[in-house]
Amino acid sequence: MRSVIQKHLTIPFEYGLADCCQFVGECVEAVHGYNPVDGFEYETEQDADELINRYGNLEALVTAKMGLPTEEFCDGDIALYEQTDGSQILGVVDGDRAILKSKRGVAIWPIAEAKAIWSTR
């Protein structure tokens, strides 16, 4: 997972290649050997929004793919956060924090602020 994080520190945000979902998928794959966002096909922000809107929001899309969120979590699990503008963003659990890839780069948010967490085990 560390190598994925390091990689994303050096590459710019790009929908479909280096965004929050692709980052999380690569991290989970590094930890567990599978990519939970395989099948999330989009190339632009508009494409991503259309995919998300088919489910209602990002939380519903991840729930459809991963099942119900969990109360127990460990490193490599998927965390969802709501941003100040109301949009949602995914991160990967790393101890008592989550690491996220946003348009502004890689960021760290407290796990206590996560709206939902899905087990990747």
Side-chain angles (χ1 to χ4, degrees):
M1 187 164 85
R2 297 282 174 240
S3 64
V4 173
I5 295 166
Q6 286 301 115
K7 174 185 133 184
H8 279 270
L9 287 170
T10 63
I11 60 174
F13 182 96
E14 185 177 349
Y15 281 97
L17 295 174
D19 57 35
C20 74
C21 290
Q22 300 306 317
F23 171 72
V24 164
E26 287 181 44
C27 286
V28 171
E29 186 165 25
V31 173
H32 297 294
Y34 76 98
N35 188 328
V37 303
D38 278 349
F40 288 15
E41 301 296 329
Y42 56 93
E43 295 179 8
T44 66
E45 183 174 9
Q46 181 179 348
D47 292 343
D49 287 343
E50 287 173 8
L51 173 64
I52 290 166
N53 289 336
R54 275 186 243 145
Y55 292 84
N57 59 26
L58 186 56
E59 182 176 3
L61 171 59
V62 176
T63 298
K65 179 76 173 185
M66 301 294 299
L68 293 174
T70 184
E71 295 293 320
E72 297 178 22
F73 55 88
C74 67
D75 290 357
D77 286 349
I78 299 171
L80 177 123
Y81 292 85
E82 289 202 348
Q83 301 184 94
T84 55
D85 67 359
S87 64
Q88 296 179 324
I89 187 169
L90 296 178
V92 64
V93 174
D94 183 40
D96 63 350
R97 63 191 187 162
I99 302 172
L100 303 89
K101 173 89 177 199
S102 74
K103 290 180 180 177
R104 291 187 223 127
V106 175
I108 297 171
W109 287 15
I111 200 68
E113 294 179 13
K115 181 176 183 203
I117 299 174
W118 292 269
S119 173
T120 56
R121 296 172 300 285

